[in-house]
Amino acid sequence: MSKVYLIGAGPGAADLLTLRAARLLAEKAEIVLADDLVSDEILAMVRPDARVLKVGKRGGKASTAQGFIHRLMVRYARRGKCVLRLKGGDPFVFGRGGEEVEALAAAGIEAEVVPGLTAGISVPAAVGIPVTHRAYTQGVTLVTGTSGEGCDEPNWRALAQGGTTLVIYMGLSRVLNIVARLIAAGLPPDTPAAAIASGTLPGQRHVKATLADLPARVSAEGLASPAIIVVGEVAALAVATVSSPDISARILAA
Ligand SMILES: C[S@@+](CC[C@H](N)C(=O)[O-])C[C@H]1O[C@@H](n2cnc3c(N)ncnc32)[C@H](O)[C@@H]1O
């Protein structure tokens, strides 16, 4: 029986993958179970004779049942295959990595986690937003903008009063509702805010606004998921435009 690697693929750009992840993909992979958010550029780094199965789950689209993913991991590990479970960002940040480690443990299979850069920190950074900054905030809170499927609605009132930068994952489709709740809970409408879509990828786009204006700006600019929303003083530090980094193409061509 082989162990299963739960690997964080980072926010998208292949050169933001960790060296450990790149080595496992290129040298050890036999079965790769990949999420939708893992970029094609990263999948191209998988050993050519490995079998890649896309088991993605994107909000609003048909998705692979979590239990089925557990069964696939267990089945291939029991056959002695080296299984790489490849996830966007970090496996343990809104990535169901905890559930997958539990499922593997219940089946008596060892899991090794390879952390990745989580979108909530790396994507704001890609447009110049530091999620903490001593002059503006004492901390950062990572929160999901969606509820359901066993998750409670975040406590927006407590979050509005917490005084930290809010980094909201999976919130774009509910941005109007989230903004209304935060303002109703006392966050000033002129609080700086930003939304960044497809961060670190070639299609990266962002808007910089006030909290009250954010939904209209997101809609006017046609931003689409995946996106990260940042609320707090640090969002004002977002640059207006970003020149696209070309380092990724150069590394892969080398
Ligand atoms: C299911 S969560 C997975 C998070 C992931 N485990 C992580 O640590 O980044 C998916 C959400 O992450 C955010 N996300 C992931 N990649 C992103 C990217 N390249 N740009 C913007 N947001 C991204 C979006 O909010 C998306 O809806």
Side-chain angles (χ1 to χ4, degrees), residues 84-226:
L84 270 51
R85 174 73 175 106
L86 195 55
K87 295 165 163 292
D90 183 273
F92 277 0
V93 181
F94 302 124
R96 303 195 184 198
E99 293 167 43
E100 293 180 4
V101 168
E102 284 169 355
L104 290 167
I109 295 167
E110 190 187 346
E112 180 175 325
V113 177
V114 179
L117 277 178
T118 189
I121 293 173
S122 54
V123 167
V127 299
I129 301 176
V131 292
T132 71
H133 185 307
R134 284 199 300 172
Y136 306 115
T137 177
Q138 275 62 57
V140 56
T141 304
L142 308 183
V143 63
T144 172
T146 59
S147 54
E149 275 197 83
C151 307
D152 290 333
E153 176 83 10
N155 184 342
W156 296 112
R157 177 160 300 280
L159 292 169
Q161 290 164 7
T164 66
T165 302
L166 298 181
V167 170
I168 304 168
Y169 294 66
M170 298 170 276
L172 200 71
S173 63
R174 297 187 68 227
V175 63
L176 195 60
N177 181 284
I178 291 168
V179 163
R181 283 170 185 255
L182 289 172
I183 291 175
L187 211 52
D190 63 353
T191 304
I196 311 109
S198 298
T200 80
L201 291 164
Q204 173 180 303
R205 296 175 60 206
H206 73 285
V207 298
K208 180 179 170 183
T210 62
L211 182 59
D213 289 342
L214 189 68
R217 292 289 312 285
V218 162
S219 163
E221 297 293 331
L223 289 198
S225 293

Side-chain angles (χ1 to χ4, degrees), residues 7-9 17-26 45 84 86 114-115:
I7 299 181
L17 206 59
T18 64
L19 290 174
R20 187 177 301 178
R23 183 177 54 76
L24 287 166
L25 289 176
M45 298 167 74
L84 270 51
L86 195 55
V114 179

